[in-house]
Amino acid sequence: MELKLNEIRETALRLATTTPVTDMHTHLYSPEYGQLLLWGIDELLTYHYLISESFRWSNEDYDHFWSMTKREQADWIWQKLFIDHSPVSEAATGFITILQRLGLDVSSRNLNDYRQALEQRSVNEQVNTVMELAGIEKIVMTNDPFDPLERPIWLSGKGKSDPRFYAALRVDALLNDWPHAVKELQSLGYEVQQAWTEQTVAEVRRFLGEWIVRMDALYLAVSMPGDFSYPEEDHRSRMIDDAMIPVCQEQNIPFALMIGVRRRVNPALKLAGDMSMLSDVSAVEALCRRYPNQKFLVTMLARENQHELTVLARKFRNLMIFGCWWFLHIESMVEEMTRFRIELLGTSVIPQHSDCRVFEQLIYKWEHSRKIIGKVLADKYEKLYLSGWHVTEAEIQRDLDDMLNHNFWRFLGKENELSK
Ligand code: FIX
Ligand code: ZN
């Protein structure tokens, strides 16, 4: 049934907040991964986004901060960002959204009550509650065979025992720290050497192929610095051309590139010390042109790259742009990006991923983004209505299913996962 003008906004917002989501890039794990799955109040407060924000209010010695227990760090951050100042940043407001949605009394400001309430829950219970509250159906993890905590779980065959969680094979070291990757590969029994020999290429391919199969990885993923350039006479281009693209094609999976990070500009902040960096969109253009049958999932970190990258997706159907990554995952940027992506690409985009590291973050990251996506779509449907094009509720549902769920699986050629 066609919607009336005054029904459009409410319908778009309601469906945007309830449509099941596939979260196609996270740093979350299923409960089988034990300590790798982060959840609870202290993990939430020590999220690296909040760590860097807290240091703006303090001359605390970095090393002293890192020597504190997690609980002490959480207390310190709570004091700085929530008590001494108002929690108006995206990450701080997000923490409040989580408390509220979990049914805790936000107005009490009693951190120990919040801790206690969550500590009474089991991890399985919390995973189920959060997925239900956030409307998340499927979660893609970030999986690194070089991680000594993660590798044994895969080798014991338990890596993919929860059907709601999917794997993505992360290959950063192979592209960005080859000497380290050589050591890791050698210790795993692959006969590689620093020089780019035929045997090394064959062994890297064997490694990638075996781990894609072991993980049933949906895609290969890497985050790149902004000065990534392609094609070049360098290690990265050789690795991509000789090993990664051939294996992706053999296995029929996309290659995901997250471009524009400058790691550790302030090393004392550890994970919180990474910076955003302008990137060269023409590297992606060259890849899409050279490999028209290879699918690329791409996101960039600099705001200045977003428009050009979106235009590029109009030129190459093998390019799917996704998410508002990291420092762009703030309400003003999500709105700006969602609006011009829809204006340039219609609904053929994956507007958001969460990048969550702590499980309950799914609640705020998706709630905040869903509202914006609903609002932007409502503006567009209302405009269409006034031109005489009247959408139905089923059509709005279809569009949101595409953006929040189906586009990802369709791009992978795995629509069958949607019925699971
Ligand atoms: O490289 C990545 O996948 C980044 O998303 C992370 O490294 C980053 O630390 C992060 O958590 C961003 O949201
Ligand atoms: Zn990430």
Side-chain angles (χ1 to χ4, degrees), residues 93-157:
T93 301
F95 181 75
I96 302 299
T97 303
I98 294 170
L99 297 180
Q100 187 198 18
R101 293 292 169 227
L102 289 176
L104 303 170
D105 176 9
V106 171
S107 68
S108 79
R109 301 191 183 187
N110 188 330
L111 188 55
N112 282 332
D113 280 357
Y114 306 150
R115 280 193 175 110
Q116 267 169 23
L118 264 59
E119 277 161 12
Q120 278 162 14
R121 305 180 183 192
S122 72
V123 62
N124 285 306
E125 206 183 325
Q126 188 70 337
V127 164
N128 296 342
T129 305
V130 168
M131 288 183 76
E132 173 83 32
L133 275 174
I136 310 299
E137 202 174 67
K138 297 179 167 72
I139 292 174
V140 184
M141 307 178 280
T142 294
N143 304 96
D144 182 357
F146 296 164
D147 181 336
L149 292 176
E150 185 173 340
R151 189 170 57 240
I153 296 163
W154 288 107
L155 294 174
S156 69

Side-chain angles (χ1 to χ4, degrees), residues 25-27 142 170 258 325 353 355 357:
H25 169 60
T26 75
H27 299 264
T142 294
R170 189 74 181 222
M258 308 174 65
W325 183 23
H353 70 274
D355 235 307
R357 285 180 177 265

Side-chain angles (χ1 to χ4, degrees), residues 213-232:
V213 170
R214 179 171 288 122
M215 292 174 165
D216 195 10
L218 296 181
Y219 58 82
L220 215 64
V222 65
S223 77
M224 291 286 214
D227 56 12
F228 165 58
S229 165
Y230 176 93
E232 285 290 337

